Amino acid sequence: MSYAGWILLTASLVGLSCGIIGVLLILRRMAMMADAISHTVLLGIVVAYLVTRELSGVHMLIGAIAAGLLTSVLVQWFHARGVQQEASIGVVFTTLFAIGVVLIATKVGNAHLDVKHTLMGEITFIPWERIELPWIGSIPEAVFILSIVLIVVLVAVLAFYKEWKITSFDPALAASLGLPVVLMHYVFMSLVSVTTVAAFDAVGAIMVVAMLITPAAAAYLWTDRLLVMFALSGGFGVLSAVAGYYVAAWLDTSISGSMAFATGIVFMISFIASPRHGLASRWFRPRATAMPEA
């Protein structure tokens, strides 16, 4: 596969996996958790480096996932004690991210780990960081990791589809039916953390947030059916990745930034043109005519 092909495949895998997970984030009204986790995983990565003094390996993944789960636990803990959820997310997100930035500045400033890389990623380097797989050959490491994450996300969503549906739309009813609502919440946060971490190094925090939230928000405007929403959101993520790449090539600018921008364009088109919940539905919806009085 060509250099551009690997970049497109990597970005498409990010768009597809984030798009699917993003639907549940939108339905659970937890969109800002995507922003929080995509930034606080920096703390886990830095701590993992300080412990092992290595910038690659499974310990980085473990550290980042632990930071994501810590974010979720702290947000839930503050919310359960009377703090508004938005405020809880804001406090935890900014505090943990700031700790990560301070540690980078004071401890690992010369370790090729910086805040700019955290925010924007380095997707152009993806084709050069390869691993050898039996029967497949040499492929970029990010493609391998993101493919596994996508499979895990698809299996988790399809295997517990009914549970995700009822706990997302009506948690009180789910609890009354005996479903483990709290456990499902933390399983979901684990999926968000894993997906975020897998995409984090390649595309940076900004594109992760864009891919987790915007395609799902656009899909929400087109349909009220959950399965269709999953499919549309994943499709919008892939479309944004491909369109963003070619915009970046045309303008000679940041690939990740262009892909994030493309998600916004997809959302705006959906917001205007969607026949169900967009502006078009309000413009062209036939108005009920008044019945003459008898």
Side-chain angles (χ1 to χ4, degrees), residues 186-220:
Y186 285 114
V187 169
F188 174 60
M189 285 295 101
S190 299
L191 289 174
V192 174
S193 299
V194 170
T195 305
T196 301
V197 171
F200 186 81
D201 185 57
V203 299
I206 291 180
M207 183 174 161
V208 172
V209 175
M211 287 294 188
L212 279 170
I213 298 173
T214 318
Y220 186 83

Side-chain angles (χ1 to χ4, degrees), residues 70-92:
L70 176 63
T71 303
S72 176
V73 170
L74 288 176
V75 168
Q76 194 73 11
W77 188 81
F78 282 121
H79 182 53
R81 280 152 183 80
V83 181
Q84 291 185 353
Q85 188 171 39
E86 294 82 0
S88 301
I89 293 173
V91 169
V92 174

Side-chain angles (χ1 to χ4, degrees), residues 42-108:
L42 173 65
L43 176 60
I45 291 173
V46 175
V47 171
Y49 170 77
L50 291 175
V51 172
T52 64
R53 292 293 170 178
E54 295 181 4
L55 276 174
S56 61
V58 70
H59 58 275
M60 304 295 280
L61 182 64
I62 294 172
I65 292 173
L69 290 176
L70 176 63
T71 303
S72 176
V73 170
L74 288 176
V75 168
Q76 194 73 11
W77 188 81
F78 282 121
H79 182 53
R81 280 152 183 80
V83 181
Q84 291 185 353
Q85 188 171 39
E86 294 82 0
S88 301
I89 293 173
V91 169
V92 174
F93 155 38
T94 53
T95 302
L96 296 185
F97 182 63
I99 293 172
V101 171
V102 169
L103 287 176
I104 285 180
T106 57
K107 300 292 185 181
V108 296

Side-chain angles (χ1 to χ4, degrees), residues 258-284:
S258 297
M259 290 177 179
F261 171 72
T263 64
I265 297 299
V266 169
F267 175 80
M268 287 305 301
I269 293 173
S270 300
F271 181 71
I272 294 171
S274 169
R276 183 172 292 273
H277 299 295
L279 292 179
S281 65
R282 303 175 187 178
W283 293 337
F284 299 108

Side-chain angles (χ1 to χ4, degrees), residues 148-179:
I148 293 176
V149 168
L150 177 58
I151 292 171
V152 170
V153 168
L154 286 173
V155 169
V157 168
L158 294 176
F160 300 100
Y161 174 77
K162 293 181 179 179
E163 287 80 0
W164 295 127
K165 188 173 183 179
I166 192 170
T167 55
S168 297
F169 285 105
D170 197 338
L173 176 61
S176 68
L177 294 174
L179 293 178

